Amino acid sequence: IKKDKDLVMATRQEHAKKLAKNKEIENKNKIKNAITGLFANDMFKKKNGTWNGKAIADYLSIDPRTVNKYLKEI
């Protein structure tokens, strides 16, 4: 069924971009909350003082590459 442009919410590409942006924001917020939490230093810091991306990823159920990517930005 063809709809008018004003009745369509977004194209498939626009909708996918919107979902990807929301997922990015959500993951950044999860990581920020994890590293600023009460026991973050005990749980996620290495002995040399850097953040342990693998431990954060396991805790949040996120891919470690994603965690390391956003840790660099934060």
Side-chain angles (χ1 to χ4, degrees), residues 15-26 70:
H15 187 65
K17 287 178 185 177
K18 180 181 174 186
L19 291 178
K21 187 69 174 170
N22 288 344
K23 187 73 167 177
E24 177 184 340
I25 293 168
E26 179 183 330
Y70 293 132

Side-chain angles (χ1 to χ4, degrees), residues 1 3 8 10 14 17-19 32-34 37-38 42-43 45 47-48 55 59 64 66:
I1 299 173
K3 294 183 181 179
V8 177
E14 291 169 348
K17 287 178 185 177
K18 180 181 174 186
L19 291 178
K32 281 181 188 175
N33 287 337
L38 192 59
D42 299 334
M43 294 173 61
K45 283 272 188 159
K47 291 182 180 180
N48 63 3
Y59 180 74
T66 304

Side-chain angles (χ1 to χ4, degrees), residues 44-58:
F44 304 128
K45 283 272 188 159
K46 293 181 183 178
K47 291 182 180 180
N48 63 3
T50 60
W51 293 106
N52 188 348
K54 176 86 169 102
I56 295 170
D58 290 341

